[in-house]
Amino acid sequence: MSENVVHLHKPTDSPTDDAAPTVLTVVPDAPPAAPVPLWVRSGRAVRSAVTHEATKTTARAVARHGLYTFNGGRIVARRTWDGKTGARYERMIRTAEAAGNLEAAEEWEERLQRFRAARHHRRMDLLHSPVEAAKGIAVGTGVSIGVLVALGVVMAINNHDVTDVITPLRATIDFIALLIRIVQVVWGPALTIGPFLALLALWTVGSKQQAAPQWALPANVRNGEGEPITPSIVVKALRDLGVPALRNAIKEMGDAGASMLGPIRIAGCGVEVDVTLPSGVSTNEVQGKRRKLAENLTRHEHEVFITIPTAARTVRLWVADSGALDEPIGPSPLVTDETLTANYKTGKAPWGQDLRGDAAQISLFQRHLLITGLSNQGKTAALRSLALWLALDRSVQFWTADLKGVGDWRFMDGIADVLIQGPTDDHVIQATEMAEAAVDEMNRRLQARQSDPTAVFPPLIVIVDEAQVAFMCPAKDEENRPYGGSKATSRYFMAVRKIHNQGRAVDVLMWQGTQDPTNDNLPKLVREGAHTRASLALGTEQQARMALGDKAVDGGAAPNLLRPGLDKGTLVVASDGIAIPAGQASITVRTHYIDDDAAEALAERAKALRNGITTLHVVDNDREVRDPRADIASVVGTDTRVLTQDVLKRLAVLAPDVYGKWSFIDLKRVLDGTGAEPYKSDGRMVIGRDRLARALADRDETGSASASE
């Protein structure tokens, strides 16, 4: 139901507004204007947007194809000019002179002279060619007529008709007339179609060269994903890098910068090229613009690596195929080859692949190891893959502390002589005492080496994963000495430093894995004591310098540019134990991942080689590592012979945590090869006192044995 509206107004014909009476008028309310439906407005906006986008697409297409034709004509004209003149040779001469290569300049000068001489000879031939052509035509015509007449004579004689003499001439004339008629018919359309065919040819040349601005190219070409790397693309990327000296030098070069580039070589899942920079441009100016260079090459930052080779004023660019680094590498040879063996001294561990796709193998012989990176980037997997390979050498001993304690190293049970697993202060204390026991073993070996310089010792690998937990431990001993920290009184720190200083000489090696390095959780003296330093993804360049050292980072190593989560297992390695291209200070390795099931299978192979090892899961509080042979001698005492069962019982009483679960197999393993092996006496297995004493004496003289528990 409509409502009425009351309007108050004054008559317009009143003499004055003030005198005019106010009139009350009731006007029926007019219906309001219908609102525009929302879907109509939305459709209008969409239609406008579609039209606008269609207009832009059409304009780009028109501009693109027009420029293809125009620039195709320029390209053809340039090629024609180069073919007719010595412009190409002159450009190469200027380039060689700019590069200081006088021999190449002289060679191109000789080629230019030969080209000019040949061109002059052709031009002189053209002066005599009309006369020679006229003579040739006259002679050819006369001979042809003579042949046709002779043919007609033969036909006339054969047919007995004199008119056949001119029949061949008449047929030839008719054929020429037919050709003339054909040309007359085709000539008109050819004049019409010919220009279009020429334009089509020019368009084809321009489209193949993509001779149009970026904004006019199709979307898939503008994005450039997967665009192959060519010399022109590399030079253009360098020119647009924002280095004025480099840009100006490229503009002044006669070959537009092509002489800077070495050959582009296929290198694994990408290409590699050496770039000789012009005078006035330093290598660090290019290194500092890695992201911009990658974008100029239509790549992501992580797909471009810049290193410094041996040649002066040269940078080496490795550019990955688009998306190739996101593809996983194959399984480890440790998993696929069950016959693979290890040799601590001469072998190399299969760690992964470098960026060129070649196998990355690393020597572990007498090298302390440090692997660091952000959390959950593959540090433990990279570290334990080396341990799994080395475990296949039965001569190598392992003492392992996993300060994360989630079972990543449980496969070492039965391989390692010591295995500590847990993140608490108590576990740190045990790991510290393990490291100090390794120092004691190192000192014992050094003393033995002094008395016998030829003494040989089995390798002892001391592994501490999540070592930052040890460095940050606040616990102190009864003498108020801290277990963590980096002071001269810090027990773990000092044990690691001592092993770094002298352990390599007697094959006592320290392997550490840490995360998110700082000066507090990875002291400077510790990280610089490692011979092999590897880093996964890090947050900052400062952390990269902590992990790898200044030399590696200044040489192009950039673990801080790896993508956390996406580049899991990718390491930047600085070590003399792995093959690094000449002139580089580091190499990037994509490591093989060995999962828990495969690790267990490899561990079983290693255990089979080792003939059973009893793993200690704690370290005695007195920080002494048990010497099984000495303990056996002590429980045998003065008895001439003791039954093996009695020896096991006495050992269990002496150190129940160590020997409580020992069996005859463990006893035999410790004494195998010493000359004091258990033997039968009156039908029962016994251990002889004299034989055991001689074995201990021989060991002390050679210094070739080591404490195993």
Side-chain angles (χ1 to χ4, degrees), residues 523-546:
K524 185 174 187 292
L525 293 178
V526 170
R527 60 183 185 249
E528 291 185 351
H531 302 100
T532 296
R533 301 168 71 172
S535 176
L536 295 115
L538 289 172
T540 64
E541 182 180 328
Q542 182 181 7
Q543 287 183 314
R545 292 183 181 275
M546 291 181 184

Side-chain angles (χ1 to χ4, degrees), residues 381-434:
L383 186 60
R384 74 179 191 175
S385 67
L386 299 180
L388 283 167
W389 175 80
L390 198 55
L392 297 177
D393 184 344
R394 59 181 300 175
S395 68
V396 179
Q397 300 175 353
F398 292 94
W399 294 359
T400 305
D402 174 17
L403 298 182
K404 185 189 295 181
V406 295
D408 289 337
W409 292 87
R410 61 177 175 270
F411 65 87
M412 293 294 282
D413 193 353
I415 297 176
D417 297 310
V418 178
L419 179 58
I420 300 166
Q421 300 182 88
T424 66
D425 289 350
D426 288 338
H427 293 98
V428 172
I429 292 171
Q430 293 175 12
T432 302
E433 292 172 345
M434 179 188 74

Side-chain angles (χ1 to χ4, degrees), residues 88-398:
R88 179 185 294 109
Y89 299 94
E90 291 173 356
R91 284 200 305 271
M92 300 308 296
I93 291 171
R94 289 196 300 270
T95 300
E97 290 176 346
N101 192 346
L102 299 181
E103 293 181 0
E106 292 176 358
E107 181 180 353
W108 284 109
E109 179 68 25
E110 292 177 0
R111 293 184 181 183
L112 176 60
Q113 294 300 330
R114 290 196 296 269
F115 169 80
R116 287 174 174 172
R119 183 179 61 184
H120 176 72
H121 182 71
R122 290 193 300 271
R123 288 177 176 175
M124 295 303 297
D125 288 342
L126 289 176
L127 296 176
H128 305 285
S129 59
V131 177
E132 298 295 334
K135 291 181 180 180
I137 291 173
V139 172
T141 302
V143 172
S144 299
I145 293 174
V147 171
L148 292 173
V149 171
L151 180 61
V153 171
V154 173
M155 293 176 61
I157 294 173
N158 183 61
N159 297 330
H160 305 286
D161 187 357
V162 70
T163 59
D164 286 342
V165 173
I166 61 173
T167 298
L169 287 173
R170 186 185 300 113
T172 302
I173 294 171
D174 292 342
F175 177 72
I176 294 173
L178 176 63
L179 293 179
I180 293 173
R181 285 195 296 273
I182 292 174
V183 171
Q184 289 175 343
V185 172
V186 173
W187 184 254
L191 289 178
T192 304
I193 299 174
F196 293 101
L197 295 177
L199 291 176
L200 178 61
L202 296 179
W203 177 89
T204 302
V205 173
S207 64
K208 287 184 178 180
Q209 298 292 327
Q210 297 293 334
Q214 283 291 319
W215 60 266
L217 295 176
N220 59 336
V221 178
R222 289 200 307 273
N223 293 339
E225 294 294 338
E227 185 177 3
I229 299 300
T230 63
S232 60
I233 289 176
V234 176
V235 171
K236 186 176 183 298
L238 293 170
R239 185 195 67 194
D240 299 338
L241 203 55
V243 181
L246 180 59
R247 181 179 62 251
N248 295 334
I250 292 175
K251 288 182 179 180
E252 293 174 359
M253 292 181 182
D255 61 347
S259 60
M260 297 192 306
L261 306 184
I264 297 179
R265 305 175 295 273
I266 296 177
C269 57
V271 296
E272 185 179 74
V273 59
D274 288 349
V275 180
T276 303
L277 301 176
S279 178
V281 181
S282 63
T283 55
N284 61 356
E285 288 183 280
V286 177
Q287 279 186 304
K289 293 182 176 292
R290 175 181 171 183
R291 174 175 294 181
K292 189 170 185 178
L293 178 61
E295 293 172 349
N296 290 348
L297 293 169
T298 64
R299 294 295 190 274
H300 297 291
E301 185 177 12
H302 71 276
E303 294 176 328
V304 175
F305 289 82
I306 306 172
T307 54
I308 310 299
T310 53
R313 214 173 65 237
T314 302
V315 294
R316 177 168 294 162
L317 307 180
W318 185 87
V319 184
D321 298 336
S322 185
L325 294 184
D326 297 328
E327 298 294 330
I329 64 174
S332 171
L334 288 172
V335 177
T336 58
D337 186 1
E338 294 184 356
T339 64
L340 190 67
T341 59
N343 188 297
Y344 162 75
K345 186 174 182 179
T346 61
K348 290 188 175 183
W351 211 5
Q353 294 180 359
D354 62 16
L355 295 178
R356 294 166 180 80
D358 300 328
Q361 299 178 325
I362 185 168
S363 172
L364 305 174
F365 177 64
Q366 293 187 342
R367 291 178 175 87
H368 301 300
L369 176 67
L370 172 66
I371 300 180
T372 187
L374 298 178
S375 177
N376 195 31
Q377 298 304 310
K379 167 181 52 63
T380 298
L383 186 60
R384 74 179 191 175
S385 67
L386 299 180
L388 283 167
W389 175 80
L390 198 55
L392 297 177
D393 184 344
R394 59 181 300 175
S395 68
V396 179
Q397 300 175 353
F398 292 94

